[in-house]
Amino acid sequence: MPIGTIAGTSVGAWVGGCYAAGVSLEELARYWKELRWYGVGKHLVPGPVWRGWTSGKSLWHAIHTFVGDARIEELGIPFVAVATDLTTGEAVWIDRGPLADAICASGAVPGLVAPRRWAGKWLIDGGVVDPLPVAAARSLGAEIVLAVDVLVHPTEKRFSTPNVFQVLFQMSTIFQKRIAELETVLDGPDLILRPDFGNRPPRYADIGEAVEIGYREMKRCLPMLLRLLEE
């Protein structure tokens, strides 16, 4: 069994893929903390709006800055990025090829980021059909699966007058939360982390607090993980 494996969807693919490529978590956290609204805005410059609000090129360049031309099959840690086939609606497990391209395909949020072309398929965000990729992790040989559920429950969000982006993200959250609940029942992880964001879901422009909340949740679950590893 591999010492460690990583399966990631959407932003999870970004973090997991970068870590598998040797990027430190401290470097990733620093990038997100320093991003702010200006940095987020650069990634959302309108592109071919008939396919998505933005082309995703800025996101690709940001990811490429971290991982360069690394290929998945050459990583030190087995990794798979999960995307969704726009035509069939099936999950696509990307376990080889350019890492930056795979991460972008996994995070191509429908309506916001244009779909990515991959092996003759148009791919969108893997969270549409597989927000908690437990089966993908097991496919890499993992015997103990630690999952991280960062989806905020739909009822915990509050709106005054929702704009188009809030509507799209809320719709996506509802779908992903329900699918994640089904996946937990059908093929549950051995341990699942659920950071408590309360009624203030994390924002890309102010991710520092979310990082701290995630750290506290991992610290809380660490004794349970150690017991699993000792069994």
Side-chain angles (χ1 to χ4, degrees):
M1 182 187 75
I3 294 177
T5 62
I6 301 173
T9 294
S10 196
V11 175
W14 184 336
V15 176
C18 285
Y19 184 76
V23 180
S24 71
L25 295 179
E26 290 78 11
E27 185 177 354
L28 286 169
R30 183 168 58 252
Y31 170 81
W32 283 104
K33 288 180 179 180
E34 295 175 353
L35 194 60
R36 302 301 178 184
W37 282 110
Y38 174 75
V40 173
K42 288 196 303 182
H43 295 325
L44 296 178
V45 174
V49 293
W50 52 92
R51 291 173 52 205
W53 176 261
T54 180
S55 67
K57 290 182 180 179
S58 179
L59 289 169
W60 182 88
H61 284 295
I63 295 168
H64 190 266
T65 299
F66 283 110
V67 304
D69 297 323
R71 297 183 62 85
I72 297 175
E73 62 270 27
E74 298 171 355
L75 299 176
I77 299 176
F79 171 76
V80 59
V82 180
T84 300
D85 187 327
L86 181 60
T87 302
T88 66
E90 297 178 342
V92 177
W93 296 351
I94 306 174
D95 59 2
R96 57 194 311 105
L99 177 59
D101 291 353
I103 293 173
C104 283
S106 180
V109 180
L112 184 62
V113 180
R116 300 283 299 189
R117 194 70 172 169
W118 183 283
K121 302 176 180 180
W122 286 110
L123 302 183
I124 59 175
D125 195 319
V128 173
V129 295
D130 197 5
L132 206 65
V134 176
R138 296 197 192 282
S139 76
L140 296 174
E143 295 179 3
I144 297 175
V145 176
L146 170 64
V148 183
D149 181 4
V150 296
L151 292 174
V152 178
H153 196 280
T155 59
E156 294 175 358
K157 293 185 178 181
R158 298 291 182 267
F159 303 106
S160 53
T161 304
N163 58 46
V164 62
F165 292 112
Q166 289 175 318
V167 171
L168 287 172
F169 277 113
Q170 178 71 347
M171 178 186 68
S172 177
T173 298
I174 292 170
F175 288 162
Q176 293 181 39
K177 194 69 177 178
R178 301 310 177 210
I179 293 172
E181 290 171 351
L182 289 174
E183 288 184 323
T184 301
V185 173
L186 297 175
D187 188 17
D190 298 280
L191 180 62
I192 184 166
L193 276 65
R194 289 191 172 94
D196 183 9
F197 300 117
N199 59 1
R200 294 182 59 191
R203 300 176 300 171
Y204 293 126
D206 186 17
I207 208 69
E209 183 180 356
V211 172
E212 294 301 323
I213 293 173
Y215 174 81
R216 291 197 295 269
E217 174 66 1
M218 182 67 250
K219 188 175 181 180
R220 184 187 70 83
C221 292
L222 186 57
M224 291 178 279
L225 176 59
L226 292 176
R227 284 196 295 270
L228 285 172
L229 294 173
E230 292 171 354
E231 292 179 356

Coordinates of all heavy atoms in Angstrom, one line a residue, residues 76-110:
G76 N 5.6 12.3 -6.3 CA 6.1 11.5 -5.2 C 5.0 10.8 -4.4 O 5.2 9.8 -3.8
I77 N 3.8 11.4 -4.4 CA 2.6 10.9 -3.7 C 1.6 10.6 -4.8 O 1.2 11.5 -5.6 CB 2.1 11.9 -2.7 CG1 3.1 12.3 -1.7 CG2 0.8 11.4 -2.1 CD1 2.7 13.4 -0.7
P78 N 1.0 9.4 -4.8 CA -0.1 9.0 -5.7 C -1.2 10.0 -5.6 O -1.7 10.3 -4.5 CB -0.5 7.6 -5.3 CG 0.7 7.0 -4.7 CD 1.4 8.2 -4.0
F79 N -1.7 10.6 -6.7 CA -2.7 11.6 -6.7 C -3.7 11.4 -7.9 O -3.3 11.0 -9.0 CB -2.0 13.0 -6.9 CG -3.0 14.1 -7.1 CD1 -3.7 14.6 -6.0 CD2 -3.1 14.7 -8.3 CE1 -4.6 15.7 -6.2 CE2 -4.0 15.8 -8.5 CZ -4.7 16.3 -7.4
V80 N -4.9 11.8 -7.6 CA -5.9 11.8 -8.6 C -6.8 13.0 -8.5 O -7.2 13.4 -7.3 CB -6.8 10.5 -8.6 CG1 -7.5 10.3 -7.3 CG2 -7.8 10.5 -9.8
A81 N -7.0 13.7 -9.5 CA -7.9 14.9 -9.5 C -9.3 14.5 -10.1 O -9.3 13.8 -11.1 CB -7.4 16.0 -10.4
V82 N -10.4 14.8 -9.4 CA -11.7 14.4 -9.9 C -12.4 15.5 -10.6 O -12.5 16.6 -10.0 CB -12.5 13.9 -8.7 CG1 -13.9 13.4 -9.1 CG2 -11.8 12.8 -7.9
A83 N -12.9 15.2 -11.8 CA -13.6 16.2 -12.6 C -14.9 15.5 -13.0 O -15.2 14.4 -12.7 CB -12.8 16.7 -13.8
T84 N -15.8 16.3 -13.7 CA -17.0 15.8 -14.2 C -17.1 15.9 -15.7 O -16.8 17.0 -16.3 CB -18.2 16.5 -13.6 OG1 -18.2 16.4 -12.2 CG2 -19.6 16.0 -14.1
D85 N -17.5 14.8 -16.4 CA -17.7 14.8 -17.8 C -19.0 15.6 -18.1 O -20.1 15.2 -17.7 CB -17.8 13.4 -18.4 CG -17.8 13.3 -19.9 OD1 -18.4 14.3 -20.5 OD2 -17.4 12.3 -20.5
L86 N -18.9 16.7 -18.8 CA -20.0 17.6 -19.1 C -21.1 16.9 -19.9 O -22.3 17.1 -19.8 CB -19.6 18.9 -19.8 CG -20.7 19.9 -20.1 CD1 -21.4 20.4 -18.8 CD2 -20.1 21.1 -20.8
T87 N -20.6 16.0 -20.8 CA -21.6 15.3 -21.7 C -22.3 14.2 -21.0 O -23.6 14.1 -21.1 CB -20.8 14.7 -22.9 OG1 -20.1 15.7 -23.6 CG2 -21.8 14.0 -23.8
T88 N -21.6 13.3 -20.2 CA -22.3 12.1 -19.6 C -22.7 12.3 -18.2 O -23.5 11.6 -17.7 CB -21.3 10.9 -19.7 OG1 -20.2 11.2 -18.9 CG2 -20.8 10.7 -21.2
G89 N -22.1 13.3 -17.5 CA -22.3 13.5 -16.1 C -21.6 12.5 -15.2 O -21.9 12.5 -14.0
E90 N -20.6 11.8 -15.8 CA -19.9 10.8 -15.0 C -18.6 11.5 -14.4 O -18.1 12.4 -14.9 CB -19.5 9.6 -15.9 CG -20.7 8.8 -16.4 CD -20.2 7.7 -17.3 OE1 -19.0 7.8 -17.8 OE2 -21.0 6.8 -17.6
A91 N -18.2 10.9 -13.2 CA -17.0 11.4 -12.6 C -15.8 10.9 -13.5 O -15.8 9.8 -14.0 CB -16.8 10.8 -11.2
V92 N -14.8 11.8 -13.6 CA -13.6 11.5 -14.4 C -12.4 11.5 -13.4 O -12.2 12.6 -12.8 CB -13.4 12.4 -15.5 CG1 -12.1 12.1 -16.3 CG2 -14.5 12.3 -16.5
W93 N -11.7 10.4 -13.2 CA -10.6 10.4 -12.3 C -9.3 10.6 -13.2 O -8.9 9.8 -13.9 CB -10.5 9.1 -11.6 CG -11.6 8.8 -10.7 CD1 -12.6 9.7 -10.3 CD2 -11.9 7.6 -10.0 NE1 -13.5 9.1 -9.5 CE2 -13.1 7.8 -9.2 CE3 -11.3 6.3 -10.0 CZ2 -13.7 6.8 -8.5 CZ3 -11.9 5.3 -9.2 CH2 -13.0 5.6 -8.4
I94 N -8.7 11.8 -13.0 CA -7.5 12.1 -13.8 C -6.2 11.7 -13.0 O -5.9 12.3 -12.0 CB -7.4 13.6 -14.1 CG1 -8.7 14.0 -14.8 CG2 -6.2 13.9 -15.0 CD1 -8.8 15.5 -15.0
D95 N -5.6 10.6 -13.4 CA -4.4 10.1 -12.7 C -3.1 10.2 -13.4 O -2.1 9.6 -13.0 CB -4.7 8.7 -12.2 CG -5.0 7.7 -13.3 OD1 -4.9 8.2 -14.5 OD2 -5.3 6.5 -13.1
R96 N -3.1 10.9 -14.5 CA -1.9 11.1 -15.3 C -2.0 12.3 -16.2 O -3.1 12.8 -16.4 CB -1.6 9.8 -16.1 CG -2.6 9.4 -17.1 CD -2.3 8.0 -17.6 NE -0.9 7.8 -18.1 CZ 0.1 7.2 -17.4 NH1 -0.2 6.6 -16.2 NH2 1.3 7.1 -17.8
G97 N -0.9 12.8 -16.7 CA -0.9 14.0 -17.5 C -0.5 15.2 -16.7 O -0.1 15.2 -15.5
P98 N -0.5 16.4 -17.4 CA -0.1 17.7 -16.7 C -0.9 18.0 -15.5 O -2.1 18.1 -15.6 CB -0.3 18.7 -17.8 CG -0.3 17.9 -19.1 CD -0.9 16.6 -18.8
L99 N -0.2 18.2 -14.4 CA -0.9 18.4 -13.1 C -1.7 19.7 -13.1 O -2.9 19.7 -12.6 CB 0.1 18.4 -12.0 CG -0.4 18.7 -10.6 CD1 -1.5 17.7 -10.1 CD2 0.7 18.8 -9.5
A100 N -1.2 20.8 -13.6 CA -1.9 22.1 -13.6 C -3.2 22.0 -14.4 O -4.2 22.5 -14.0 CB -0.9 23.2 -14.2
D101 N -3.1 21.3 -15.6 CA -4.3 21.1 -16.4 C -5.4 20.3 -15.6 O -6.6 20.6 -15.7 CB -4.0 20.4 -17.7 CG -3.2 21.3 -18.6 OD1 -2.9 22.5 -18.3 OD2 -2.7 20.8 -19.7
A102 N -5.0 19.3 -14.9 CA -5.9 18.4 -14.2 C -6.6 19.2 -13.1 O -7.8 19.1 -12.9 CB -5.2 17.2 -13.7
I103 N -5.8 20.0 -12.4 CA -6.4 20.8 -11.3 C -7.4 21.8 -11.8 O -8.5 22.0 -11.2 CB -5.3 21.5 -10.5 CG1 -4.4 20.5 -9.8 CG2 -5.8 22.5 -9.5 CD1 -3.1 21.1 -9.1
C104 N -7.1 22.4 -12.9 CA -8.0 23.4 -13.5 C -9.3 22.7 -14.0 O -10.4 23.3 -13.8 CB -7.3 24.1 -14.7 SG -6.1 25.4 -14.2
A105 N -9.2 21.5 -14.5 CA -10.4 20.8 -15.0 C -11.2 20.5 -13.8 O -12.5 20.6 -13.8 CB -10.0 19.5 -15.7
S106 N -10.6 20.0 -12.7 CA -11.4 19.7 -11.5 C -12.1 20.8 -10.9 O -13.1 20.6 -10.2 CB -10.4 19.0 -10.5 OG -11.1 18.6 -9.3
G107 N -11.6 22.0 -11.1 CA -12.2 23.2 -10.5 C -12.9 24.2 -11.4 O -13.1 25.3 -11.0
A108 N -13.3 23.7 -12.6 CA -14.0 24.5 -13.5 C -15.5 24.6 -13.1 O -16.3 23.9 -13.6 CB -13.9 23.9 -14.9
V109 N -15.7 25.6 -12.2 CA -17.1 25.8 -11.7 C -18.1 26.1 -12.8 O -17.9 27.1 -13.6 CB -17.1 26.9 -10.7 CG1 -18.5 27.1 -10.1 CG2 -16.1 26.6 -9.5
P110 N -19.1 25.3 -13.0 CA -20.1 25.6 -14.1 C -20.7 27.0 -14.1 O -21.1 27.5 -13.1 CB -21.2 24.5 -13.8 CG -20.6 23.5 -13.0 CD -19.5 24.2 -12.2

